[in-house]
Amino acid sequence: MFTAKGLFAQIPCPNREKCLIPRCMFSHDDRSKQLIADATATSNVSRMIDTDDGEQNGQRKRQKIGGQEESPLPKTGAPSTSIQKPTTTQKPEVVKVPSASIAKRPSALQRDISPPPLRRKSQNGTSAVAKPSGAAPATPQAKKPAPVKTPLKSEPLNPRARRTAPAVHNVRLKLLQALYDQYKRLNTELAKDANDAEEELVLSEQGVITRALNAEESACEQASIYSNVIKNKIMTYKRMTVAQWKEERAKEVAKEKAVEAAAISDTPTAKPTEPPKPIETGLSTEQEISILPRLYTPIDDLAKHGYVTTIPTPQEIETAKNGIEASKGWEVCDRCKSRFQVFPGRREEDGALASGGQCTYHFGKPYWKDRSTLDPKAKREKKWRCCEQNLGDSPGCTTAEHHVFKVTEVKRLAAVLNFEKTPENNDASLDRPVCIDGEMGYTVHGLELIRLTATTWPRGEELLDVLVRPVGEILDLNSRYSGIWPKDITSATPHLSTTVPPPPTSPQNIYIVPSPTHARALLFSLITPRTPIIGHGLENDLNATRFIHPTIIDTALLFPHKAGLPYRNGLKMLVHTHLGRHIQVVKEGTVTGHDSREDANAAGWLVRWEVGRVWERLRREGWVVRGGGVVGPRGEMIVDKMAGGEKEVVVGVGSKRGREEMEEGS
Ligand SMILES: [Zn+2]
Ligand SMILES: [Zn+2]
Ligand SMILES: [Zn+2]
């Protein structure tokens, strides 16, 4: 189980009426309670929120739909109102657990699904509501909840209140029901034979109701042709096949994900308006590669920038292991800063992976909101990009099942899996440059590699792209950022052989290797110590893959931030600034989060662009192309020190000078 969908729906929102979150995951019951109180005092309120038209009729109908005659309102002195009653969907969704696993570790699962006390309290408050006869059984979504999704507002199948309605209530209700019936039919049929990947397209019972309510409400906007609009809609869905419905749902789901992904990117997402401009260097592939040594990160600098350059010794690893043992698994949460305990291999008595319950946090970054033009003197506010709440106003807008942590200390990383140096490889063709990118997820051992991608440079062809089963039990795949979702891991085909599997042609047919060691071995079969490895913030990828490599082009170092370290330019920003291209753009129909392939290639584009700039300078100094390389006015050549060229150092040309030039130029 990766999510806590619905768990907070019963907990009062900490922001109460100040909350501005459109679909806040916390309960805003106090709003409706207030409404009920008002309604009890005077029935005028009900007239304001619903039209008088056919109210009596509608009320009776609604009772029938609800399947219950008993009014949930206080009986004494309560006039008849149109306050909506609790319905089938108000019951918290039930998480189904396979009985086999319950038998295996009962207390662990009890613990996993047991709600926080607050929820239990309000659950009792609504438990008097009898489950209506027509209630839907647990939906496929309840069985396997989508990760990090805000629960839908609980609403009955009853036209939404409007100040002016285009038709009397019972007409609206009838049309709404007819539309609902069609949605329900399509949704039920889709649910029947949805595969793992399609399950996210299946709506919950509330989802079907909400969709019908939205459609009916939007038809109300065209009051004069309301009934035509909605009747056409009903006909459309009556004729619709499940395949067409599936297609429509896929588009909707992609759009929802796009909205979510836009909230996490550091810059507002813009869609590319024109095709990307090609990067022109005026050089052949061979000549471009011959210039690359000018861009290498000097080996002496690697350690300064978080790269590991020596393999931790057995003694160091022993020390780290003793330290881990002594700390008894206590860590500080990377997101909410709580202290909590992790239990690698699960806690014996109950099978728990971590203590401290759920993690409530903001998944976006804080930013300074621009002053309103209406009130330029107003204080500037720092807000969370994820939810637009002010910093400090709430502990978080998102809840995950576990707290998480990351390890940066090298010997602790080595205690999980030790580093290895890129081994020799006899195939000299493997000296060609490679772009790599890894994605990481949180496990009981910290942040671990869960996907590894390698492409060729400069062409960007796929060499390797596999999911990786981490060493520790997964706490959180960090899906918003990694782009990897629980179903990607569960539905990937295991790859056990030591030959590199073909790259996936779609996200559905990616392979998963059983360990980071396996992923590293596949990568090692594609490179030599002389292979220039290109990437952005590569120390993260190398450390997660646990390998030490001497020949590095790190675009985070190649294009340093104006403010100097520790500030770094983001890949997305660099690609936009220098190349006018948009990456990590949310496209309909693609997964959210980083796409390793795109990230790896984007770093490669930046390197080509930089090669073009270096070549411009060299040309001004009198360099010319000759064969597969470039030569200086006095016959100088660019020396690849990594390829053993240090013996023939040529005056005036070297990686040190190259660095200086680059720094002043960027
Ligand atoms: Zn937030
Ligand atoms: Zn936390
Ligand atoms: Zn990435």
Side-chain angles (χ1 to χ4, degrees):
M1 215 177 84
F2 293 89
T3 165
K5 186 190 179 187
L7 281 188
F8 278 66
Q10 301 289 326
I11 299 179
C13 178
N15 282 349
R16 296 175 191 283
E17 59 282 347
K18 273 197 293 181
C19 176
L20 296 172
I21 310 170
R23 285 193 294 164
C24 180
M25 67 195 312
F26 291 103
S27 157
H28 280 276
D29 256 350
D30 36 358
R31 281 181 199 160
S32 45
K33 268 190 204 123
Q34 189 54 43
L35 217 55
I36 290 173
D38 290 350
T40 322
T42 157
S43 60
N44 286 345
V45 175
S46 71
R47 300 241 152 73
M48 277 172 64
I49 61 166
D50 204 341
T51 54
D52 282 340
D53 299 328
E55 186 178 314
Q56 290 311 310
N57 240 334
Q59 181 67 14
R60 234 172 286 130
K61 260 270 171 58
R62 253 170 281 142
Q63 283 176 346
K64 211 176 122 209
I65 299 160
Q68 50 186 348
E69 296 300 323
E70 222 178 76
S71 167
L73 294 174
K75 280 196 175 108
T76 43
S80 164
T81 71
S82 63
I83 293 297
Q84 293 163 350
K85 295 201 238 174
T87 62
T88 92
T89 46
Q90 203 134 341
K91 260 195 117 182
E93 281 181 304
V94 179
V95 179
K96 260 205 213 158
V97 176
S99 48
S101 49
I102 290 182
K104 229 192 285 167
R105 37 183 194 90
S107 44
L109 283 158
Q110 277 292 333
R111 200 185 155 80
D112 279 349
I113 59 173
S114 73
L118 261 173
R119 174 192 176 218
R120 193 165 271 157
K121 201 172 149 214
S122 54
Q123 209 179 347
N124 288 341
T126 56
S127 63
V129 181
K131 202 170 185 196
S133 49
T139 65
Q141 281 200 346
K143 195 171 60 192
K144 199 182 187 184
V148 288
K149 223 174 173 188
T150 327
L152 284 171
K153 195 173 126 207
S154 171
E155 286 177 286
L157 187 64
N158 186 36
R160 289 193 183 126
R162 295 179 61 84
R163 268 170 212 283
T164 57
V168 295
H169 184 273
N170 59 343
V171 169
R172 285 184 67 193
L173 181 64
K174 229 182 197 158
L175 293 168
L176 174 67
Q177 267 183 305
L179 187 58
Y180 164 85
D181 288 344
Q182 292 311 316
Y183 288 167
K184 176 87 182 166
R185 169 185 70 85
L186 291 160
N187 192 57
T188 310
E189 278 182 51
L190 176 60
K192 251 186 270 167
D193 44 23
N195 60 32
D196 269 5
E198 288 161 358
E199 221 157 76
E200 65 177 354
L201 307 181
V202 178
L203 290 163
S204 66
E205 175 61 16
Q206 182 63 65
V208 177
I209 293 175
T210 304
R211 199 177 198 279
L213 289 173
N214 289 345
E216 197 273 341
E217 194 174 34
S218 87
C220 288
E221 300 300 328
Q222 296 161 279
S224 58
I225 48 166
Y226 163 81
S227 81
N228 273 340
V229 169
I230 194 138
K231 278 173 189 164
N232 279 340
K233 220 166 204 146
I234 294 164
M235 282 318 290
T236 305
Y237 286 96
K238 209 166 196 165
R239 293 198 196 104
M240 189 176 274
T241 64
V242 183
Q244 289 167 320
W245 170 258
K246 199 193 287 179
E247 215 170 282
E248 184 169 313
R249 283 290 303 140
K251 279 186 196 150
E252 283 171 8
V253 168
K255 218 174 266 175
E256 282 164 22
K257 286 184 176 177
V259 169
E260 189 173 82
I264 62 168
S265 64
D266 11 359
T267 49
T269 302
K271 295 210 170 187
T273 45
E274 53 199 59
K277 259 181 270 153
I279 303 162
E280 305 281 6
T281 61
L283 296 169
S284 70
T285 296
E286 291 309 309
Q287 291 157 352
E288 283 181 9
I289 291 174
S290 78
I291 287 178
L292 272 193
R294 295 289 291 253
L295 274 53
Y296 292 169
T297 300
I299 198 154
D300 301 335
D301 283 2
L302 288 177
K304 274 192 286 188
H305 296 299
Y307 284 86
V308 176
T309 50
T310 50
I311 298 175
T313 63
Q315 289 79 5
E316 287 174 310
I317 293 172
E318 196 54 36
T319 315
K321 282 186 172 160
N322 291 338
I324 294 166
E325 189 136 325
S327 75
K328 294 196 160 56
W330 282 100
E331 300 290 348
V332 173
C333 180
D334 199 22
R335 303 187 288 217
C336 72
K337 310 300 168 208
S338 305
R339 273 176 58 75
F340 71 107
Q341 248 180 318
V342 281
F343 311 113
R346 296 184 179 275
R347 180 158 65 186
E348 209 173 292
E349 57 266 36
D350 60 2
L353 288 174
S355 72
Q358 297 180 323
C359 177
T360 299
Y361 66 103
H362 290 282
F363 62 86
K365 292 177 179 168
Y367 75 104
W368 287 102
K369 195 177 174 65
D370 287 336
R371 276 190 202 87
S372 153
T373 45
L374 299 171
D375 185 9
K377 279 185 207 140
K379 212 178 93 209
R380 256 188 115 195
E381 287 171 317
K382 203 168 195 186
K383 289 182 177 287
W384 292 103
R385 218 178 260 291
C386 41
C387 59
E388 293 289 313
Q389 295 187 76
N390 286 338
L391 244 68
D393 272 6
S394 89
C397 58
T398 302
T399 301
E401 199 187 348
H402 295 297
H403 296 293
V404 296
F405 71 107
K406 68 175 171 219
V407 170
T408 48
E409 205 188 352
V410 176
K411 57 179 197 260
R412 265 198 78 180
L413 292 173
V416 177
L417 168 65
N418 203 0
F419 287 78
E420 265 183 32
K421 290 189 170 176
T422 306
E424 263 309 329
N425 207 325
N426 290 330
D427 190 346
S429 73
L430 301 178
D431 291 354
R432 314 270 292 184
V434 165
C435 303
I436 72 167
D437 185 53
E439 299 299 339
M440 281 59 116
Y442 292 106
T443 79
V444 293
H445 296 312
L447 213 45
E448 283 198 70
L449 185 73
I450 50 176
R451 181 178 177 183
L452 184 62
T453 307
T455 60
T456 63
W457 188 90
R459 299 177 68 97
E461 288 153 349
E462 285 237 318
L463 286 170
L464 172 71
D465 189 9
V466 287
L467 295 178
V468 182
R469 208 171 279 290
V471 178
E473 290 90 352
I474 293 166
L475 290 177
D476 195 318
L477 287 171
N478 207 20
S479 305
R480 278 198 175 94
Y481 293 96
S482 67
I484 295 161
W485 300 82
K487 73 167 172 14
D488 298 330
I489 299 278
T490 50
S491 63
T493 313
H495 179 83
L496 304 173
S497 118
T498 50
T499 53
V500 176
T505 50
S506 84
Q508 275 76 47
N509 63 14
I510 192 163
Y511 287 95
I512 185 163
V513 296
S515 67
T517 318
H518 199 111
R520 182 175 63 188
L522 294 178
L523 181 65
F524 280 171
S525 75
L526 297 167
I527 59 175
T528 78
R530 293 167 302 283
T531 304
I533 291 189
I534 297 167
H536 191 81
L538 265 178
E539 80 282 10
N540 292 315
D541 306 282
L542 264 59
N543 292 355
T545 316
R546 302 289 200 281
F547 78 110
I548 297 172
H549 192 83
T551 317
I552 296 291
I553 300 174
D554 186 337
T555 48
L557 302 174
L558 200 55
F559 301 93
H561 195 280
K562 281 200 191 82
L565 289 170
Y567 296 100
R568 286 180 169 219
N569 288 316
L571 182 62
K572 181 178 171 139
M573 189 281 283
L574 286 173
V575 167
H576 185 230
T577 311
H578 296 309
L579 309 176
R581 294 186 184 185
H582 295 271
I583 58 157
Q584 292 159 19
V585 166
V586 178
K587 285 159 281 190
E588 281 187 17
T590 62
V591 291
T592 62
H594 283 183
D595 180 336
S596 304
R597 214 182 309 177
E598 187 181 64
D599 282 6
N601 281 335
W605 303 333
L606 282 170
V607 168
R608 276 200 72 214
W609 182 75
E610 184 62 23
V611 163
R613 293 211 308 166
V614 170
W615 173 233
E616 267 302 309
R617 276 198 299 270
L618 290 174
R619 236 173 27 162
R620 269 185 262 122
E621 291 168 20
W623 288 62
V624 292
V625 297
R626 185 177 299 165
V630 295
V631 290
R634 292 180 300 276
E636 308 96 313
M637 310 258 285
I638 290 175
V639 177
D640 188 350
K641 287 188 169 185
M642 292 307 154
E646 57 268 299
K647 285 160 228 144
E648 25 169 338
V649 174
V650 178
V651 183
V653 188
S655 57
K656 184 148 189 295
R657 170 133 180 259
R659 288 295 300 170
E660 281 159 5
E661 281 170 13
M662 276 176 307
E663 258 141 30
E664 127 214 340
S666 44

